Each structure stands twice: as C-alpha cells, then as structure tokens.
Amino acid sequence: FDIIDMRLTPSQITRAVGITATTVEIFKKLGLAEKLLRSGFQSKNIILYWNKRKLNRLSFDRPGLLGYQLYSTQPILENILIDHLREKNVEITRGLKLVSFVNESTGVQVKFMDEEGKIVCKKYDFLVGCDGNRSFVREQLNMVCDEEDYAGHFLLADVKMDWAESNQDSHYCLTEDGYVMILPLPLEGY
C-alpha cells in the first residue's frame, strides 16, 4: 500500500488541539498511547467565565470520560504517526495530487499529478480518501456530506502568555458577543 500526501512537508501549523477519548483508544491499539500522552497536555478541568466573572469549575473526572481533556498540536500528532510508519518501513509519498480514479473489477486505477505537472498512474486494490472536509474523493463519488458553515469566524493561535489564572486548566470565557477558549498546550503554550 501507499500513503500519498499532496503536501510536500508535514504540517507546521495547528488546526485542531483537542484529542478525543476515541483517538486515545486508537493510539492504545497502535501501541502509541504513551507517546501521545507524553507529548500532550492533560487538562483536568474547564473554568467557565461569563463576562469576565468566574462561574464554575467543570471536571473531566466523570464516569465514561478519560479524567482529562488531552491537548496537543497537529505537528506533534503527525510526527508521532510518521515515526510509527517509519518503524514499520512505510514512507509517505509527498507532492502528489489526486486528479482522477476509476473503479474497475480488478481494482482502482488512480492518476496523480506531481509538483511539476507530470501524471503518475498507479493501480490499487482499494482507494481510501482521507482528504478532509472538501474531499475530492467524495465529490467524484457523488457522496453528499451534510455540513454547515459556522455562523461566526474562528481564529486559532499558539501563544505563550503570562497571566494570573491556572495554566493547568482549560478556560472558556463567554460573553454575549462571543467566546474565547484558552487551552493549555505542550511546550508551555496556550
């Protein structure tokens, strides 16, 4: 099998930070849970604010939960997976963009384009598209994905900051105009 990524390098930016209990379970099955837990930050509580006033502390220590919310960055998570693949002698082929595929009785004919515009053809038993919310694979298969745009705008930033509040907890600051989430990250950031 091949793993193809049209990006030339692994992600250098964070697009998401929360790691679910389901993801931790998958990493356990892969034998990677310890690496994931060491590389992330375990927040045990959410501190909830309304108009700059502290309202309550909500604990993740509940039945059915991990006992914490795990936060990490996308580059850290990707590097754990890339290292695991290398240990299994699997390399990621980079710089190929999927341009077409045809499902045949003997497999799937796939065409990629490299960064110089050259077409690369391959044949596989299966094609698995992990190409995100604007999936080319889903589009080509005419698979409808019920999704909605959020009404607001989001800004995500990895920052270092000094402040009087706990850096061991997640902080959700709500107002009538919107909200800010301050989440602890590994490497002394938020």
Side-chain angles (χ1 to χ4, degrees):
F1 70 91
D2 291 331
I3 298 176
I4 311 289
D5 191 342
M6 69 181 197
R7 296 175 304 162
L8 294 173
T9 61
S11 181
Q12 301 298 313
I13 60 172
T14 298
R15 295 185 187 144
V17 295
I19 298 173
T20 66
T22 304
T23 301
V24 174
E25 288 302 315
I26 291 169
F27 271 63
K28 279 182 186 173
K29 290 178 182 176
L30 292 171
L32 299 173
E34 280 304 312
K35 285 182 183 177
L36 178 66
L37 295 174
R38 278 196 316 271
S39 72
F41 189 92
Q42 298 177 30
S43 176
K44 306 229 186 270
N45 303 293
I46 295 174
I47 309 299
L48 190 60
Y49 304 82
W50 176 253
N51 288 328
K52 300 181 183 176
R53 199 179 97 238
K54 197 181 290 188
L55 292 180
N56 205 348
R57 175 185 299 263
L58 307 171
S59 174
F60 286 111
D61 192 16
R62 304 255 188 252
L65 298 177
L66 289 171
Y68 55 87
Q69 173 64 50
L70 185 63
Y71 297 108
S72 191
T73 66
Q74 188 166 339
I76 289 172
L77 191 62
E78 280 188 25
N79 284 328
I80 290 171
L81 292 170
I82 290 167
D83 289 346
H84 180 68
L85 288 170
R86 284 189 181 129
E87 289 170 10
K88 304 286 184 194
N89 295 316
V90 176
E91 289 294 326
I92 298 172
T93 302
R94 296 191 175 276
L96 293 181
K97 179 180 180 179
L98 178 64
V99 292
S100 70
F101 60 91
V102 177
N103 196 14
E104 300 174 340
S105 61
T106 58
V108 184
Q109 286 286 359
V110 181
K111 287 185 183 176
F112 301 99
M113 183 185 310
D114 69 15
E115 61 266 22
E116 296 166 358
K118 180 182 166 198
I119 297 296
V120 177
C121 299
K122 297 213 175 207
K123 186 168 184 172
Y124 298 101
D125 293 333
F126 300 96
L127 173 66
V128 178
C130 303
D131 49 347
N133 65 333
R134 291 185 180 92
S135 170
F136 176 78
V137 173
R138 238 188 348 254
E139 178 185 302
Q140 296 304 302
L141 294 172
N142 293 318
M143 296 175 72
V144 176
C145 182
D146 291 333
E147 61 182 58
E148 294 180 29
D149 287 333
Y150 291 107
H153 298 280
F154 294 87
L155 175 66
L156 183 64
D158 297 353
V159 299
K160 289 186 178 184
M161 59 190 254
D162 292 323
W163 71 326
E165 298 299 329
S166 164
N167 65 355
Q168 302 295 310
D169 297 315
S170 305
H171 301 268
Y172 290 25
C173 309
L174 310 167
T175 71
E176 290 181 13
D177 295 324
Y179 66 93
V180 173
M181 295 168 54
I182 302 170
L183 309 171
L185 293 175
L187 308 175
E188 301 175 11
Y190 284 94

